[in-house]
Amino acid sequence: VQLQASGGGLVQAGDSLKLSCTTSERNFNAYAIGWFRQAPGKVPEFVGGISWTGNNKYYADSVKGRFTVSRDNDNNTAYLTMRSLKPEDTALYYCTSDLWGAGEVFADPKLGQGTQVTVSS
């Protein structure tokens, strides 16, 4: 499914931001959604994921306790709520999908267009 991430911006350290991941395609509720980010000069890293059921959520250690993944199947949208942002969270954020996935592993993430998050100190 083709996804579009949005909601990024320039914030200060300690602020919050909520990213959205949407699609116009059908069967959104059959896909696990994963969030990745890529900082300049670095490889993309997994941030968090939610299973197709919405019952299971997984997070990278670096964001655990600060970031929350959620989904609204009625509106074909997944969210990444980010709190207590740090300068090291600065990156291009992407969302990807995995049909009937558990939300923990995205073996071949297709990252598409991302949304920039910049956290100033």
Side-chain angles (χ1 to χ4, degrees):
V1 62
Q2 197 154 2
L3 301 167
Q4 177 65 54
S6 63
L10 172 62
V11 297
Q12 293 189 329
D15 284 352
S16 299
L17 204 57
K18 187 173 185 177
L19 306 184
S20 298
C21 174
T22 61
T23 182
S24 59
E25 298 184 30
R26 298 168 63 182
N27 301 325
F28 173 80
N29 58 355
Y31 290 86
I33 301 298
W35 288 94
F36 286 73
R37 67 186 181 186
Q38 185 172 21
K42 296 190 176 181
V43 298
E45 65 167 339
F46 174 77
V47 175
I50 184 167
S51 63
W52 71 275
T53 64
N55 293 333
N56 300 305
K57 302 176 183 181
Y58 301 91
Y59 301 95
D61 288 342
S62 58
V63 306
K64 207 170 287 184
R66 299 188 299 122
F67 290 14
T68 302
V69 294
S70 59
R71 64 190 301 153
D72 178 357
N73 289 337
D74 291 339
N75 290 299
N76 281 7
T77 304
Y79 302 99
L80 179 66
T81 303
M82 306 182 293
R83 299 180 178 86
S84 302
L85 282 161
K86 305 175 181 180
E88 50 264 43
D89 294 319
T90 295
L92 195 56
Y93 283 71
Y94 304 88
C95 55
T96 188
S97 61
D98 181 27
L99 184 62
W100 307 120
E104 186 176 16
V105 176
F106 294 81
D108 184 26
K110 305 220 173 12
L111 300 182
Q113 273 196 311
T115 186
Q116 178 67 38
V117 173
T118 304
V119 185
S120 64
S121 57

